[in-house]
Amino acid sequence: MNTLLLKPCCFIVIFALIIIAMADSAPKSIASDSSSSAPAVHIIYTEKPQEEEPETYHIRTLTAVLGSEDAAKEALLYSYKSAASGFSAKLTPEQVAQISKQPGVLQVVPSQTVQLHSGPNKLH
């Protein structure tokens, strides 16, 4: 008799865990993320540096906004050097506004993770 009671209970627990996992993985809108003052990852497109290494240029650009080279190195996540010139960094909305005004900065966009759909049943 105990095994009969255990099966519906397990089903409910598993179902609840699936619902919680789906809620945590639901896409969040960019607008709600940008209204927060918490740092978020942004991609900063820049002019191609002429007389210095791209990463050095990116750190110098970030240092102008963040106030120190150490803070810039900590915020810098990746330097793009081949297909595009720019970098990704964790920035607050205020820092995004400041870096957008820096010389050589072309565009600042929030980083997005997209889910690729593949297979015949996944086309939308």
Side-chain angles (χ1 to χ4, degrees):
M1 187 164 150
N2 286 343
T3 58
L4 292 176
L5 292 176
L6 183 61
K7 288 181 183 180
C9 180
C10 288
F11 174 75
I12 292 170
V13 169
I14 291 171
F15 183 73
L17 291 173
I18 290 171
I19 296 297
I20 291 169
M22 289 174 61
D24 286 344
S25 67
K28 295 172 179 63
S29 71
I30 294 173
S32 67
D33 288 347
S34 64
S35 64
S36 169
S37 62
V41 177
H42 287 76
I43 300 172
I44 298 89
Y45 294 98
T46 64
E47 295 174 348
K48 190 171 184 174
Q50 298 302 316
E51 298 183 17
E52 64 184 320
E53 289 296 314
E55 189 168 344
T56 303
Y57 176 71
H58 301 153
I59 290 171
R60 187 168 52 82
T61 303
L62 270 171
T63 299
V65 172
L66 301 179
S68 77
E69 190 172 314
D70 288 339
K73 287 179 179 178
E74 188 175 322
L76 182 71
L77 300 175
Y78 189 81
S79 283
Y80 301 98
K81 303 166 190 159
S82 300
S85 179
F87 57 95
S88 60
K90 277 190 151 185
L91 302 171
T92 65
E94 296 80 21
Q95 293 166 338
V96 168
Q98 289 177 331
I99 205 157
S100 297
K101 298 173 187 171
Q102 292 297 309
V105 172
L106 304 174
Q107 185 179 20
V108 180
V109 295
S111 179
Q112 290 181 286
T113 302
V114 294
Q115 193 103 36
L116 297 178
H117 300 281
S118 63
N121 296 332
K122 301 276 185 166
L123 297 176
H124 294 281

